[in-house]
Structure formats: C-alpha cells, structure tokens
Amino acid sequence: QVQLVESGGGLVQAGGSLRLSCAASGLTFSSYAMGWFRQAPGKDRDIVACISFRGRTIYADSVKGRFAISRDNAKNTVYLQMNSLKPEDTAVYYCAADRNRWPISGDYWGQGTQVTVSS
C-alpha cells in the first residue's frame, strides 16, 4: 500500500529554518506530483507548495521567497526547506501525492508533522 511518511518538524524560533522530508513507498514516485499542505488549529488545510514530476513548482503567496520544495526521485523523497520562519507558519504540515491533478489535490496523504514557530 502507499505510504507517505513525513519527518523534520519541531519547535523553532522565529527567523529560523527547518527542513521537512517525506519518504514515499508503494507508488511509482517519479510519476506523481508531490506537495506540502498545512493546517493550523481552527483553520482549513491549505496548499503550501507543489512540485510536478518534471520539477515544475508553485508556492502559496505567503511562503514565496522563504520556502523551497524539491524532490529526489532516486530516494522517493520530497523536501520542504523552510527559511525565515514566522509564528504564522505554525501548523501541522502534510505531504501529499497526486497522479493526475495540478495543482495537486492529494490522492494520498501522510500523517502530518508539527511545526511550531515561537516569537
């Protein structure tokens, strides 16, 4: 079965950096667009960044210039480098995979990893 396992979340001070990883198994990783979403308490789950199977990327306006999504098809892993973190970036971050839609909606989801940014 398909599994997406996120790691790299944690507590960081404002202005700091974190790198999230999502390891995928059970699917042909190179054929899927991948993305990161986040959900803060009491809010909807929103898209953060997506990367197509060819490497095209899109970002939410709120993270442009601070976050970078990348993928390593040899390792079946997608990354989210988060720099200049702000308290409003605090959320559970979810990895998602989508076979056909762009921007992705998510055929498969990870369990989420908590990111907390203190002021």
Side-chain angles (χ1 to χ4, degrees), residues 25-107:
S25 60
L27 52 70
T28 305
F29 183 77
S30 59
S31 297
Y32 279 75
M34 302 296 296
W36 290 94
F37 291 72
R38 66 186 181 187
Q39 187 168 22
K43 295 188 176 181
D44 293 335
R45 187 177 297 188
D46 293 325
I47 194 166
V48 175
C50 298
I51 185 166
S52 74
F53 66 92
R54 293 185 176 182
R56 177 189 176 191
T57 59
I58 58 172
Y59 295 91
D61 287 344
S62 59
V63 306
K64 283 181 181 176
R66 300 189 297 123
F67 290 13
I69 189 170
S70 60
R71 64 190 296 159
D72 186 336
N73 288 343
K75 295 182 178 179
N76 286 4
T77 301
V78 62
Y79 304 97
L80 185 68
Q81 178 67 44
M82 305 186 294
N83 300 324
S84 302
L85 283 160
K86 304 176 181 179
E88 51 264 43
D89 294 318
T90 295
V92 178
Y93 283 70
Y94 297 91
C95 173
D98 202 305
R99 182 63 178 88
N100 294 309
R101 289 164 291 189
W102 183 259
I104 77 169
S105 295
D107 293 329

Side-chain angles (χ1 to χ4, degrees), residues 17-29:
S17 298
L18 283 174
R19 188 194 196 202
L20 305 183
S21 300
C22 172
S25 60
L27 52 70
T28 305
F29 183 77

